[in-house]
Amino acid sequence: MYQWLDERLDLSRLNTKFLRKAFPVHHSFFLGEITLFAFVVLVLTGIFLTLNYEPSTRPVKIEGYNDPVPAAYASILYIDSLPFGAVLRSLHHWSAHIMIAAAFLHMLRIHLTGAYKKPRELNWLIGIVLLVLAIVTAFTGYALPFDNYALTATGIGYHIGEAAPWLGKAMSAILFAGELEASNTKTIPRLFSIHVLWLPLLLLAMIGAHLLLMVKQKHTQPKYAEKVAPGRILGVPAMPQQAVMMGVLFLVYVAVTTFIAGAFLAHPVEAFGPPTPNTPSVKPDWYFMWIYGILQILPQWDLKILGANFGPQFVGGILVPTLIILGAMAIPFLEPQKEKQRYLELPSQHPRRTSFVLAMLMFYIMATLAGYKIDFLNANPNLSSGTLIAILWVLLIVAPILTYIISYILMKAAYRSREVEIEFTGRASAADD
């Protein structure tokens, strides 16, 4: 059978060219694979949810409710009533969080080690697009349970998108099929098709392109490979060694995330109930919280130019994230080099770059902290809103600057001592390799 297939599909060439590719063995490289595993679990659990979900707001009568409820809301209750239904829905929820977190950490590792440099600039751009797509896909699933919380949380993003100059209202109307309100019968079908079809197809295409480029360009090698086998690819073949490790890691991922899903059931819709005029206290998920925090401390103003309103929602919700994304895309082109990047760089060797990354992380943390402004005010009745906003602004600006300065000084001192050690002993300590 193998010979028959080999004669027609040239399996021997496939095995030589792709399946025997060397994969470097390094623990940080598994972050990309965890991102892929999360996507696979999202697709599998998403199929189950899709088969039992009704993307409609038609009123249906169910037991335990005096008034009819939207069919979308009722279908979530039905899913939770199925054997392991609530766990699978929770697994879908937590895998979305893990995919975004793993993708972010994966990009962070690439940035800190200089793996985005020539010839991998295109794959860096694809990685950023993948991260943004994953976040947008998660957002389009917000409203699908169609309970009071989900509709309110989705409304935050709806109004931010609406704030875009000139095109905002039109784009929001296209995405949400009109105004985002409980009476709009077209919003849920529109978001459902985007969430389960168009965005997953885009993600699948981008992941495929990302993996193909990775195989074509090969991994950057861990630093130790430069001494062990200079100029050669050091690692294990894709088949069977790397495939076995990936299989084991996938099973561990499924086991751990299933335990998390069962122990921490996600979003109990019955606790919030179907949409009502009463707006619950809502905060976005952690990957949106930093944007929400910026919006919480921005002053209110009304600036209109050529009929478009450039208000705080535009600045905090659209302009700042867009500038950060464009800045991330520009990173490989700010450090052009003629030679191909073959080995990972030590973060301590590049104190400016590493300090900048740490400062940006501190910025996200402080902006996220600002998202809890209302909670701080409720916990401290004697604290005025103006004073708290001033404190949060100081933290948002000063903490990243101090982080950059302190980390830069420490890394310069550490790297200088390492150079002195090499000069006097002729070698670096084992901890630096």
Side-chain angles (χ1 to χ4, degrees):
M1 175 61 74
Y2 177 83
Q3 183 178 355
W4 187 87
L5 290 172
D6 187 31
E7 291 174 353
R8 288 154 180 80
L9 302 177
D10 199 5
L11 296 180
S12 299
R13 184 171 180 271
L14 174 68
N15 180 66
T16 303
K17 190 172 181 61
F18 294 105
L19 301 184
R20 301 301 295 175
K21 286 283 185 183
F23 275 74
V25 179
H26 195 273
H27 58 276
S28 67
F29 286 10
F30 286 112
L31 286 168
E33 294 175 7
I34 291 173
T35 306
L36 178 62
F37 298 156
F39 178 73
V40 171
V41 171
L42 281 168
V43 171
L44 295 177
T45 54
I47 292 172
F48 167 80
L49 296 174
T50 301
L51 293 175
N52 294 282
Y53 177 77
E54 182 178 342
S56 168
T57 57
R58 68 179 182 87
V60 295
K61 186 68 176 174
I62 61 173
E63 186 179 352
Y65 290 82
N66 296 325
D67 299 321
V69 298
Y73 177 83
S75 62
I76 297 297
L77 295 177
Y78 170 71
I79 289 171
D80 287 349
S81 70
L82 295 173
F84 299 103
V87 173
L88 288 173
R89 186 169 70 85
S90 185
L91 180 58
H92 189 80
H93 173 94
W94 292 120
S95 284
H97 285 263
I98 292 171
M99 181 179 178
I100 294 170
F104 178 76
L105 292 174
H106 180 59
M107 299 294 291
L108 199 64
R109 192 273 299 174
I110 291 172
H111 190 188
L112 285 171
T113 58
Y116 55 82
K117 295 180 181 179
K118 181 182 178 181
R120 299 175 183 85
E121 301 96 332
L122 182 57
N123 231 3
W124 170 260
L125 297 179
I126 291 175
I128 292 173
V129 173
L130 269 171
L131 179 58
V132 173
L133 279 176
I135 293 173
V136 173
T137 305
F139 171 74
T140 56
Y142 261 30
L144 296 186
F146 210 65
D147 61 352
N148 205 24
Y149 184 98
L151 195 63
T152 305
T154 307
I156 297 174
Y158 172 81
H159 292 300
I160 290 175
E162 205 177 27
W166 299 295
L167 300 176
K169 291 187 177 181
M171 292 174 64
S172 292
I174 292 172
L175 179 61
F176 295 93
E179 296 286 335
L180 179 64
E181 51 189 23
S183 59
N184 188 346
T185 59
K186 297 179 181 179
T187 297
I188 291 300
R190 178 68 57 85
L191 290 176
F192 177 76
S193 65
I194 293 171
H195 182 73
V196 306
L197 180 60
W198 302 115
L199 288 177
L201 285 176
L202 276 174
L203 279 169
L204 188 61
M206 298 301 288
I207 289 172
H210 189 70
L211 293 176
L212 282 174
L213 275 175
M214 183 269 294
V215 171
K216 174 68 177 177
Q217 297 173 341
K218 302 179 179 61
H219 278 90
T220 43
Q221 296 285 290
K223 195 67 177 175
Y224 62 77
E226 190 173 8
K227 296 179 180 180
V228 177
R232 300 180 63 185
I233 303 296
L234 187 67
V236 298
M239 289 291 290
Q241 286 91 336
Q242 179 67 17
V244 170
M245 284 192 290
M246 288 180 65
V248 171
L249 183 60
F250 178 71
L251 293 177
V252 171
Y253 172 86
V254 171
V256 172
T257 51
T258 302
F259 172 79
I260 294 172
F264 306 96
L265 290 176
H267 196 82
V269 294
E270 62 275 9
F272 301 105
T276 66
N278 299 322
T279 302
S281 178
V282 167
K283 285 186 180 65
D285 287 323
W286 60 270
Y287 44 86
F288 283 129
M289 183 64 84
W290 67 278
I291 298 176
Y292 179 74
I294 294 174
L295 293 173
Q296 288 289 300
I297 61 176
L298 278 175
Q300 296 299 312
W301 70 83
D302 188 15
L303 175 62
K304 290 189 177 181
I305 302 176
L306 299 176
N309 188 13
F310 293 81
Q313 283 194 318
F314 164 71
V315 173
I318 298 176
L319 182 61
V320 172
T322 300
L323 290 176
I324 289 175
I325 293 171
L326 292 177
M329 287 182 164
I331 285 171
F333 309 102
L334 299 177
E335 299 182 67
Q337 60 182 35
K338 294 182 180 180
E339 299 296 325
K340 291 183 178 181
Q341 186 76 11
R342 297 177 62 94
Y343 300 100
L344 299 177
E345 298 171 343
L346 295 175
S348 59
Q349 288 181 301
H350 297 268
R352 286 192 181 90
R353 182 177 69 204
T354 304
S355 299
F356 173 77
V357 171
L358 294 175
M360 285 301 298
L361 288 175
M362 182 58 69
F363 170 81
Y364 295 137
I365 293 171
M366 292 299 103
T368 299
L369 188 68
Y372 293 91
K373 184 190 78 171
I374 297 175
D375 301 81
F376 292 142
L377 290 174
N378 292 336
N380 300 276
N382 297 326
L383 182 64
S384 68
S385 178
T387 302
L388 178 60
I389 290 175
I391 293 171
L392 292 173
W393 268 114
V394 170
L395 291 174
L396 186 65
I397 296 172
V398 175
I401 295 174
L402 288 178
T403 300
Y404 181 91
I405 294 172
I406 293 171
S407 58
Y408 179 79
I409 293 172
L410 291 176
M411 276 185 287
K412 284 291 287 185
Y415 193 62
R416 190 179 297 114
S417 64
R418 180 177 181 272
E419 288 180 327
V420 171
E421 180 185 359
I422 293 174
E423 182 179 350
F424 281 93
T425 66
R427 63 182 180 86
S429 62
D432 293 326
D433 291 336

